[in-house]
């Protein structure tokens, strides 16, 4: 079984963002959305309810509780699928898979110099959890749940830094599969499978900019 997993809580994203992933993947997988508000989600999307969460940085770690869903492909709601994604499931074998942020190597020439986590001399994390795959990674949740308060204080920048620094073994998606629109030159790159529209909090204009470029 191949499962596409999403997480939606609060008001930042709507049901349309989840439904769009369903549409762009032709509805041919098992779909699960972990959410505090299932209103307006397509009927074929299975719901796992959560209580409303305050804004925070560690909510995705709770997803590692999930298993028995075959191979799980987790997608953030700010990703844009540019090509068929069925082959991405093939990357998941013995270890969970995550995006390696190859675009950070571009340095300040292509990246916003005032965006602290990306131009700091200390690399907070080279992981981006916008896309992840796993079959059974409950051990990641088990480790975090032993002392959540400690890890929240240790990793104030969130789940990416926790996953990067806690010694877990991850495989990485190849660089040619995923790119960040904002942090890889602010260019539309149709040769990639998935585009990350991360950075919207600081640069909300990139959504419209990306849409205009990909349409023309």
């Amino acid at each position: 079984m191949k499962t596409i997993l999403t997480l939606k809580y609060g008001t930042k994203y709507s049901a349309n963002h989840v439904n769009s992933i369903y549409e762009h993947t032709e509805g041919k997988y098992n779909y699960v959305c972990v959410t505090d508000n299932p209103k307006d989600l397509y009927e074929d999307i299975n719901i796992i309810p959560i209580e409303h969460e305050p804004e925070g940085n560690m909510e995705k770690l709770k997803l590692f509780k999930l298993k028995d869903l075959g191979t799980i492909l987790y997608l953030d709601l700010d990703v844009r699928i540019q090509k068929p994604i069925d082959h991405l499931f093939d990357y998941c074998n013995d270890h969970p898979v995550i995006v390696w942020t190859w675009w950070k190597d571009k340095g300040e020439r292509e990246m916003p110099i005032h965006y602290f986590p990306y131009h700091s001399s200390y690399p907070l994390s080279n992981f981006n959890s916008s896309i992840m795959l796993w079959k059974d990674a409950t051990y990641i949740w088990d480790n975090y749940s032993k002392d959540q308060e400690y890890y929240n204080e240790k990793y104030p920048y969130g789940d990416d830094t926790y996953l990067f620094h806690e010694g877990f073994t991850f495989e990485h998606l190849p660089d040619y599969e995923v790119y960040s629109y904002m942090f890889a030159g602010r260019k539309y790159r149709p040769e990639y499978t998935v585009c990350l529209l991360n950075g919207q909090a600081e640069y909300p204009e990139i959504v419209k900019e990306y849409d205009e470029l990909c349409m023309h």
Side-chain angles (χ1 to χ4, degrees):
M1 179 168 57
K2 297 176 180 178
T3 296
I4 291 183
L5 175 66
T6 53
L7 172 65
K8 182 182 79 71
Y9 66 90
T11 58
K12 184 177 181 179
Y13 296 105
S14 70
N16 289 337
H17 291 91
V18 181
N19 293 340
S20 177
I21 289 175
Y22 179 95
E23 292 171 356
H24 282 88
T25 54
E26 301 178 335
K28 62 181 181 179
Y29 303 105
N30 178 48
Y31 295 84
V32 175
C33 182
V34 177
T35 183
D36 62 348
N37 181 9
K39 183 180 178 182
D40 297 326
L41 292 176
Y42 289 156
E43 291 183 359
D44 288 345
I45 299 175
N46 300 297
I47 305 302
I48 295 180
I50 58 170
E51 296 180 1
H52 178 71
E53 296 279 358
E55 290 298 322
N57 296 316
M58 293 292 201
E59 283 74 18
K60 273 188 270 188
L61 298 182
K62 299 174 184 177
L63 301 177
F64 290 112
K65 295 180 183 180
L66 302 178
K67 58 180 182 178
D68 301 326
L69 292 173
T71 301
I72 296 170
L73 171 58
Y74 168 78
L75 298 172
D76 267 359
L77 296 181
D78 60 357
V79 306
R80 295 296 176 89
I81 297 169
Q82 301 186 158
K83 290 182 177 182
I85 64 167
D86 198 61
H87 67 284
L88 296 183
F89 288 93
D90 296 336
Y91 290 116
C92 187
N93 294 301
D94 297 328
H95 303 290
V97 181
I98 199 166
V99 174
W100 182 267
T101 56
W102 57 267
W103 50 86
K104 291 185 180 180
D105 296 334
K106 299 295 183 181
E108 294 183 2
R109 180 175 60 83
E110 290 195 13
M111 302 187 66
I113 62 174
H114 56 285
Y115 192 78
F116 169 74
Y118 289 91
H119 84 282
S120 170
S121 59
Y122 174 69
L124 296 175
S125 171
N126 277 107
F127 285 175
N128 184 297
S129 59
S130 295
I131 304 175
M132 297 186 288
L133 296 109
W134 70 89
K135 295 176 181 177
D136 184 345
T138 50
Y139 58 90
I140 295 176
W141 166 254
D142 292 342
N143 183 75
Y144 172 71
S145 64
K146 290 177 183 176
D147 197 338
Q148 296 184 36
E149 185 175 346
Y150 165 75
Y151 288 119
N152 291 344
E153 183 175 348
K154 184 177 180 180
Y155 300 113
Y157 288 100
D159 42 42
D160 288 355
T161 50
Y162 168 82
L163 295 172
F164 185 72
H165 289 287
E166 281 301 304
F168 303 115
T169 299
F170 279 88
E171 302 293 338
H172 305 134
L173 287 174
D175 291 354
Y176 55 78
E177 295 286 6
V178 180
Y179 75 108
S180 168
Y181 174 79
M182 181 70 208
F183 301 112
R186 207 151 174 168
K187 301 173 184 176
Y188 171 59
R189 306 187 182 198
E191 68 272 22
Y192 287 83
T193 304
V194 183
C195 174
L196 309 185
L197 287 179
N198 54 329
Q200 292 182 40
E202 295 79 15
Y203 306 98
E205 72 276 8
I206 65 174
V207 176
K208 182 179 179 181
E209 187 176 294
Y210 170 88
D211 288 343
E212 290 177 347
L213 288 174
C214 73
M215 290 175 63
H216 301 284

